[in-house]
Amino acid sequence: MASDLDTVRVLRALFNDMPRAPQGLTPEETLAWVQQSIDQFGGGDMAYMLEHVTRSSMLDIVLRLREDGYLKDDIAFEQIIEQLGTPEGRKTFMDRCITAQKSADATSRLIHRAKRAWSDPPPLFSSDPGLLQRFVRGELTGPGPLYAEYKAREDVTEIGVLAEAPDGIHEFSWGFVVEDQGAWHFYISDVWRKGTVGCFERFFSAWQQATVSHPVDDQGHLLPPVPSGLLMEDGIESFSSLTLHGSTDTPDVALRQWIGKVFIDRMLPLMAARVVDEHYDFPVGLQAH
């Protein structure tokens, strides 16, 4: 299996030259910084998103090859790390992999669908109603055992994500949420315990699937729509599963209620279940962002 440090090294090689917002910005400043970076990226916003998707896909491919393929060999893995650090190297690697990857994915989907009828997995977890109410009221739990488990991981220590304990921690039985100036970072134990962080693209697909027309829960019941100005981002920067960004530093009551009672309670459990189920195939139109 790919180690946690393997994952960190591949992430650093792949994204070493992608723009990242400075620490300490407000949500408004962060959105403005991201938009400026996209505008300045060669080819504009579409090129920026495609580049991000491509590198996220390469992350998954490399980690799978490290676990099950020729990259089990340490020398070959070191060579790939060096190669992925340059635009030319990434292009060479992707050109070599893309045909085989398409064929492997198509074959895998056919095998999985032949083995069993397609169905949605059950929600991955549920949240204690009392803790949900505390979240909605903005009452922090502080760090608990799951936060301590995550912080003690070798990869987390290596990259220094939680070098300083954040002030806004809401811990649940399934993981914890870090709240920071109108942003919420979601850390799910079933995801980080898999040993890799190759779920970024799948979480984006899960969010798109849940919100492309109108949010629904695991029973197919319609939910209140996503509040205006709320954005979802992958968790690469915060080393989390995903991040939700509000449009202001201090969320209003309605936004906090939606995140607690709708997203955490009814959307996230099904999204996470789809992400961690290796047999679950997202609709084709949601495979890229």
Side-chain angles (χ1 to χ4, degrees), residues 78-145:
E78 292 295 332
Q79 292 172 341
I80 284 296
I81 291 293
E82 182 176 356
Q83 180 180 352
L84 294 177
T86 66
E88 297 78 10
R90 288 190 291 272
K91 184 178 186 305
T92 298
F93 176 79
M94 202 61 183
D95 287 346
R96 190 169 70 242
C97 290
I98 192 166
T99 300
Q101 183 69 19
K102 285 183 177 179
S103 176
D105 287 347
T107 301
S108 178
R109 284 195 294 270
L110 287 173
I111 291 174
H112 292 327
R113 288 167 180 167
K115 287 195 299 185
R116 64 176 187 177
W118 181 91
S119 62
D120 244 332
L124 189 63
F125 53 78
S126 61
S127 298
D128 178 88
L131 291 176
L132 279 175
Q133 288 298 327
R134 289 189 62 176
F135 178 91
V136 170
R137 292 194 300 265
E139 298 174 1
L140 303 171
T141 65

Side-chain angles (χ1 to χ4, degrees), residues 200-233:
F200 302 122
E201 182 68 13
R202 289 182 64 81
F203 265 110
F204 192 92
S205 295
W207 169 263
Q208 291 291 92
Q209 183 180 18
T211 62
V212 65
S213 55
H214 202 84
V216 296
D217 61 16
D218 62 294
Q219 302 298 318
H221 299 145
L222 292 179
L223 299 172
V226 178
S228 176
L230 185 66
L231 301 177
M232 181 272 192
E233 294 181 359

